[in-house]
Amino acid sequence: MKKILIHLESDSKASIFDQITAYDAGADQVLAYGGVQLEEVANLVYGAIFTRGGEGLRNTAVFIGGTQVPAAEKLMRKLLDTFFADFRVSVMFDANGCNTTAAALVNKIAQGRELKAKKALVLAGTGPVGIRAATLLVQEGCEVFLSSRQLARAQEVCKHMEENIGVKVKPVEVVNPEDVDKTLAQGINIIASCGAPGVRLLEQAAWASARSLEIIADINAVEPLGVEGMKVTDNGKEREGKILYGAIAIGNLKMKVHRAAVQALFERNDQVLDFASIYALAKKMEA
Amino acid sequence: MKKILIHLESDSKASIFDQITAYDAGADQVLAYGGVQLEEVANLVYGAIFTRGGEGLRNTAVFIGGTQVPAAEKLMRKLLDTFFADFRVSVMFDANGCNTTAAALVNKIAQGRELKAKKALVLAGTGPVGIRAATLLVQEGCEVFLSSRQLARAQEVCKHMEENIGVKVKPVEVVNPEDVDKTLAQGINIIASCGAPGVRLLEQAAWASARSLEIIADINAVEPLGVEGMKVTDNGKEREGKILYGAIAIGNLKMKVHRAAVQALFERNDQVLDFASIYALAKKMEA
Amino acid sequence: MKKILIHLESDSKASIFDQITAYDAGADQVLAYGGVQLEEVANLVYGAIFTRGGEGLRNTAVFIGGTQVPAAEKLMRKLLDTFFADFRVSVMFDANGCNTTAAALVNKIAQGRELKAKKALVLAGTGPVGIRAATLLVQEGCEVFLSSRQLARAQEVCKHMEENIGVKVKPVEVVNPEDVDKTLAQGINIIASCGAPGVRLLEQAAWASARSLEIIADINAVEPLGVEGMKVTDNGKEREGKILYGAIAIGNLKMKVHRAAVQALFERNDQVLDFASIYALAKKMEA
């Protein structure tokens, strides 16, 4: 029985990235749908859950992707609502790569280290990857600060996280180098830089002189990188006494995590691979 | 050479149900198209008939699906009109599952039995499954009654069937329990219940007390079922002295018929698998 | 690692012809996209170049198709512009089959022959196949004339070819039999007839009496053929002292060239298979 992955997203053209990765992970066939409307989800799901029965059902799974994370979250909720009793298949959520990227980012930081009571700053953390990375860092035992250029935006996101995910994260406004220095001076040990491609967030002078700082990771692969003096290929490289992880090192791990997650989908028919379970997979893989 | 099934339908998203079933039936690759317009059919068909020649041509086939049966019938006619000489591939029509469902329904009723001169009532029979089931029952030798809540609708459908398929079926109006009793009192031996999901059509008191009645089959899998006292898993179960076939028993056979039909497509390049030929396949399979 | 071909075109439904041919050429999976807009190309290309690295990258390739050649040429330019450094995959351009058809047409004419200093007329040559055939004939050493029913159109195309492809071709107006006779009287040795399906371009009396004429090839497979007295299956057949190649003989070779080109895509990750490289493949294949 072929392993069939149903790829759903709201963008007009289904992602080639996710399809190739699925095939490389061992999916036999991807049924890819772009431009998926909420009202089309139920019918598509019925096709997934009513065709194969019993043991066979684990050979069908769903991937929710696309660049629009909020729209994808709505598709995900609708999908999970359509399942009932044993009529369900495993699902992976990775719109815009947010779950696999956050899992790889935090795993690079956490691997072989004890993070309990460390102070972590998620720079430019109000996006999908930042929110997920902050949550995972909390779960690893860190005290987490989440920054935005607008305090109100950071506060809004932190409130949302407390209410919906149940984690406490401290909002911080970071606009200029003085804000950075002030924040790092609170004893930050870890920086996870989650800014947009090509946007510089942290000068070398700032991070090099921050006494408490131990680890910096940055997901921006486009020059200028988020962290000055970082190289995209840095993979635990020591610079100025700090350990650095660049976007390509994180990206390579992200690809492995993505493939491992797709493989895991076909082990059972009742899994929901969201950020926490994908991170759990990432940790196991590195061991 | 890969067995390629071209799936065409007018619904915006090509059915996942039909694609998974095609793969499970042994198709190597499904090329699925939703939102197919009539004027696009010819170009798609040329791609099917002009690529592989001679013996190879039987490795390409077309499936016409979608939830809209009348639109699918137009696609089917256009498709068949586009073939010429030996430039043709095998085609299966199963929009909304109507052919495989009707074939499974009637085969459950007919298997190992002589139906000649039996009286059969197709309840709520004006939809695609009802029309096909009624036709197959006539071909098995039954005298067939086809009911609707509106006599005019039943008459219209019966007239259409006589003119287009060449079978005679008697229109009946069934609105309330008295109508049911009156109809069953004409000596009905078989009831094929073809109503919509979740719509009760027949009370237990009515069918239990109908002397002539021998067999009841119902394709409605959603509670309340079409037939009170029926279980979806009934598969030749005797209740109140009648033999019952529920929606899951029929559905399981439908899936087998669907897969057998897809497999048959690739045996030759000139088959048209419509309700009669799909029913013939179903009968052979059960033997 | 699966050989994945990404099929992009601007027509609303991705060509079945090209997909089946790709599978027959050994592609493991075709990801087919119809209705591709220019602004969607970059994202799709990123999915192709950022998923597999190093040696693996040659297992991904792109095919640009569709019936609209100018729109396809824009997709092609955008695609090539999106590649950078080693982040590229091999690409084949064959919108409306123009490259494989031109390659097969000219290869039929050139195989085993010395064309240097021959005079060739590309009849109705202003379309995509005609332009490419004329270019290849120039590259084979011919003096090439390109005809249209409107001199201005022929002149425009020849100017475009000189400026963009760097080849010199002579524009000719051919409206009626007298024009044909006058043109052939210039000592034409070869006619490549590239008219639309079902349009007669050349009477038998004209070509039979043309002393200098040696070879006639015609890509029109629909009666009336472009060349009177030709048969679609003529494959080097001698008639009236001339060698004839009909549309089916050319079409069969075209299919082989198409498949060979798809196979070649997966040998390296940096090939651009356009008309010249596809013609080179055709020549090698016939050897």
Side-chain angles (χ1 to χ4, degrees):
Chain A
M1 197 175 265
K2 283 187 172 178
K3 282 179 254 172
I4 293 180
L5 185 64
I6 297 157
H7 173 109
L8 306 181
E9 64 172 271
S10 62
D11 295 24
S12 63
K13 298 285 183 295
S15 159
I16 282 178
F17 188 99
D18 293 329
Q19 288 181 74
I20 293 181
T21 307
Y23 284 115
D24 287 347
D28 293 308
Q29 193 62 48
V30 180
L31 309 185
Y33 293 82
V36 176
Q37 306 293 315
L38 261 191
E39 59 271 22
E40 296 173 322
V41 170
N43 242 335
L44 294 168
V45 171
Y46 291 146
I49 61 181
F50 290 147
T51 34
R52 293 161 156 188
E55 269 303 293
L57 208 49
R58 70 183 168 84
N59 292 306
T60 306
V62 178
F63 180 95
I64 305 277
T67 62
Q68 307 304 315
V69 176
E73 288 174 332
K74 282 183 193 162
L75 293 180
M76 180 75 164
R77 272 194 295 276
K78 179 69 186 170
L79 178 85
L80 296 176
D81 283 352
T82 308
F83 292 160
F84 63 95
D86 295 333
F87 292 90
R88 61 184 64 249
V89 297
S90 287
V91 183
M92 173 177 175
F93 183 95
D94 203 29
N96 217 17
C98 64
N99 282 335
T100 49
T101 301
L105 170 64
V106 175
N107 198 48
K108 280 293 177 194
I109 294 168
Q111 61 189 346
R113 297 189 183 98
E114 174 55 56
L115 298 191
K116 202 148 286 179
K118 295 284 185 187
K119 291 189 179 181
L121 168 63
V122 181
L123 257 182
T126 58
V129 174
I131 290 172
R132 284 158 174 83
T135 304
L136 295 173
L137 286 165
V138 169
Q139 291 173 355
E140 284 286 354
C142 295
E143 181 183 349
V144 178
F145 300 75
L146 185 150
S147 85
S148 168
R149 275 168 295 189
Q150 299 164 7
L151 184 60
R153 178 73 186 126
Q155 287 170 329
E156 184 193 347
V157 164
C158 291
K159 184 156 173 281
H160 169 87
M161 290 174 70
E162 183 163 4
E163 290 173 1
N164 291 278
I165 320 181
V167 295
K168 286 205 180 194
V169 172
K170 297 194 177 110
V172 193
E173 184 176 79
V174 171
V175 181
N176 51 42
E178 292 77 54
D179 296 332
V180 171
D181 291 342
K182 212 171 53 182
T183 306
L184 294 182
Q186 298 191 44
I188 296 297
N189 309 110
I190 295 161
I191 292 176
S193 179
C194 297
V199 177
R200 169 67 38 88
L201 296 171
L202 192 60
E203 309 297 324
Q204 185 158 358
W207 62 261
S209 63
R211 287 287 175 90
S212 56
L213 194 58
E214 301 166 37
I215 303 168
I216 314 176
D218 179 19
I219 63 166
N220 169 9
V222 178
E223 293 284 351
L225 303 184
V227 178
E228 189 189 17
M230 165 86 78
K231 287 203 170 150
V232 286
T233 51
D234 281 352
N235 188 18
K237 172 87 182 172
E238 193 176 323
R239 297 185 189 274
E240 312 254 16
K242 323 295 183 193
I243 303 295
L244 270 57
Y245 296 98
I248 284 185
I250 295 167
N252 286 342
L253 178 56
K254 176 220 178 302
M255 289 301 293
K256 284 186 204 164
V257 171
H258 188 147
R259 288 195 293 266
V262 171
Q263 279 156 12
L265 283 172
F266 297 106
E267 290 168 5
R268 299 206 317 265
N269 78 316
D270 60 355
Q271 298 179 86
V272 178
L273 299 188
D274 214 322
F275 71 94
S277 40
I278 289 174
Y279 181 61
L281 268 174
K283 289 187 81 162
K284 214 161 43 179
M285 238 179 53
E286 286 298 280
Chain B
M1 197 175 265
K2 283 187 173 178
K3 282 179 254 173
I4 293 179
L5 184 64
I6 297 157
H7 172 109
L8 306 180
E9 64 172 271
S10 62
D11 294 25
S12 62
K13 299 286 182 296
S15 161
I16 282 178
F17 188 99
D18 293 329
Q19 288 181 74
I20 293 181
T21 306
Y23 284 116
D24 287 348
D28 293 309
Q29 193 63 46
V30 180
L31 309 184
Y33 293 82
V36 176
Q37 307 293 314
L38 262 191
E39 58 271 23
E40 296 172 323
V41 170
N43 241 335
L44 294 168
V45 170
Y46 291 146
I49 61 182
F50 289 147
T51 35
R52 293 161 156 186
E55 269 303 292
L57 208 49
R58 70 181 168 86
N59 292 306
T60 305
V62 179
F63 180 95
I64 304 276
T67 62
Q68 307 304 314
V69 176
E73 288 174 331
K74 282 183 194 163
L75 293 180
M76 180 74 165
R77 273 194 295 275
K78 180 70 186 169
L79 179 85
L80 297 176
D81 282 353
T82 309
F83 293 160
F84 64 94
D86 294 334
F87 292 90
R88 59 185 64 249
V89 296
S90 287
V91 183
M92 172 177 176
F93 183 95
D94 202 30
N96 217 16
C98 64
N99 281 336
T100 50
T101 302
L105 170 64
V106 176
N107 198 47
K108 279 292 177 194
I109 294 167
Q111 62 189 346
R113 298 190 183 97
E114 174 55 57
L115 298 192
K116 202 147 286 176
K118 295 283 183 187
K119 292 190 179 180
L121 168 63
V122 180
L123 258 182
T126 59
V129 174
I131 291 171
R132 284 159 174 83
T135 305
L136 294 173
L137 286 165
V138 169
Q139 291 173 354
E140 285 288 353
C142 294
E143 180 183 349
V144 178
F145 301 76
L146 185 151
S147 84
S148 168
R149 274 168 295 190
Q150 299 166 5
L151 184 60
R153 178 73 185 127
Q155 287 170 328
E156 184 193 347
V157 165
C158 291
K159 184 158 174 278
H160 169 87
M161 291 174 69
E162 183 162 4
E163 290 173 3
N164 290 279
I165 320 181
V167 294
K168 285 206 181 193
V169 173
K170 296 192 178 112
V172 193
E173 184 175 79
V174 172
V175 181
N176 51 43
E178 292 76 53
D179 296 333
V180 172
D181 290 342
K182 213 172 52 184
T183 307
L184 294 183
Q186 299 192 45
I188 296 296
N189 309 110
I190 295 161
I191 292 177
S193 178
C194 297
V199 177
R200 169 67 38 87
L201 295 171
L202 192 58
E203 308 297 323
Q204 186 157 358
W207 63 261
S209 62
R211 288 286 176 91
S212 56
L213 194 59
E214 301 165 37
I215 302 168
I216 314 176
D218 179 19
I219 63 166
N220 169 9
V222 178
E223 293 284 350
L225 303 184
V227 178
E228 190 189 14
M230 164 86 78
K231 287 203 171 154
V232 286
T233 51
D234 281 352
N235 189 18
K237 173 87 181 172
E238 192 175 325
R239 297 183 191 275
E240 314 254 14
K242 323 294 185 194
I243 303 295
L244 270 59
Y245 296 98
I248 286 183
I250 296 166
N252 286 342
L253 177 57
K254 175 219 178 303
M255 290 300 294
K256 285 186 204 162
V257 172
H258 189 147
R259 288 195 294 265
V262 172
Q263 280 157 13
L265 283 173
F266 297 106
E267 290 167 5
R268 299 206 316 265
N269 78 316
D270 60 355
Q271 299 179 85
V272 178
L273 299 187
D274 213 323
F275 72 93
S277 41
I278 289 174
Y279 180 62
L281 267 175
K283 290 186 81 162
K284 213 161 43 182
M285 238 180 54
E286 287 298 280
Chain C
M1 196 175 268
K2 283 186 173 180
K3 282 179 253 171
I4 293 180
L5 184 64
I6 297 157
H7 172 108
L8 306 180
E9 65 172 271
S10 62
D11 294 25
S12 63
K13 299 286 182 295
S15 159
I16 282 179
F17 188 100
D18 293 328
Q19 288 181 73
I20 293 181
T21 307
Y23 284 115
D24 287 347
D28 293 308
Q29 193 62 48
V30 179
L31 309 185
Y33 293 81
V36 176
Q37 306 293 315
L38 261 191
E39 59 271 22
E40 296 173 324
V41 170
N43 242 335
L44 294 168
V45 170
Y46 292 145
I49 62 182
F50 290 146
T51 35
R52 293 162 156 186
E55 269 303 293
L57 208 48
R58 68 182 168 85
N59 292 305
T60 306
V62 178
F63 180 94
I64 305 276
T67 61
Q68 307 304 315
V69 176
E73 287 174 333
K74 283 183 193 162
L75 293 180
M76 180 75 165
R77 273 193 296 274
K78 179 69 186 170
L79 179 86
L80 296 176
D81 283 351
T82 307
F83 293 160
F84 63 95
D86 294 333
F87 292 89
R88 61 184 65 248
V89 296
S90 287
V91 183
M92 173 176 175
F93 183 95
D94 202 30
N96 217 17
C98 63
N99 282 336
T100 50
T101 301
L105 169 64
V106 176
N107 198 47
K108 280 292 178 194
I109 294 168
Q111 62 189 346
R113 297 188 183 99
E114 174 55 57
L115 298 192
K116 202 147 285 176
K118 294 285 183 186
K119 292 190 178 181
L121 167 64
V122 180
L123 257 182
T126 60
V129 174
I131 291 172
R132 285 158 174 82
T135 305
L136 295 174
L137 286 165
V138 169
Q139 292 173 354
E140 285 286 354
C142 295
E143 179 183 351
V144 177
F145 299 76
L146 186 149
S147 85
S148 168
R149 274 168 296 189
Q150 299 165 4
L151 183 61
R153 178 73 186 128
Q155 288 171 328
E156 184 193 346
V157 165
C158 291
K159 184 159 173 277
H160 168 88
M161 290 174 68
E162 182 162 5
E163 289 172 3
N164 291 278
I165 319 181
V167 294
K168 286 205 179 193
V169 172
K170 296 193 177 112
V172 194
E173 184 175 80
V174 172
V175 181
N176 51 43
E178 292 76 54
D179 297 332
V180 171
D181 292 341
K182 212 172 54 183
T183 307
L184 294 182
Q186 298 191 45
I188 297 296
N189 309 110
I190 295 161
I191 292 178
S193 179
C194 296
V199 177
R200 168 68 37 87
L201 296 170
L202 192 60
E203 309 296 323
Q204 185 158 359
W207 63 260
S209 62
R211 288 284 176 92
S212 56
L213 193 59
E214 302 166 36
I215 302 169
I216 314 175
D218 179 19
I219 63 166
N220 168 9
V222 178
E223 295 283 351
L225 304 183
V227 178
E228 189 189 17
M230 164 86 77
K231 288 206 169 150
V232 286
T233 50
D234 281 351
N235 188 17
K237 172 86 181 173
E238 192 176 324
R239 296 183 190 277
E240 312 256 14
K242 322 297 185 194
I243 302 294
L244 271 57
Y245 296 98
I248 285 185
I250 296 167
N252 286 341
L253 177 56
K254 176 220 178 303
M255 290 300 294
K256 284 186 204 164
V257 172
H258 188 149
R259 288 194 295 264
V262 171
Q263 279 156 13
L265 284 173
F266 297 106
E267 288 167 7
R268 299 205 318 263
N269 78 316
D270 60 356
Q271 299 179 86
V272 178
L273 300 187
D274 214 322
F275 71 93
S277 40
I278 289 174
Y279 181 62
L281 267 175
K283 289 187 82 163
K284 214 160 43 179
M285 238 180 53
E286 287 299 280

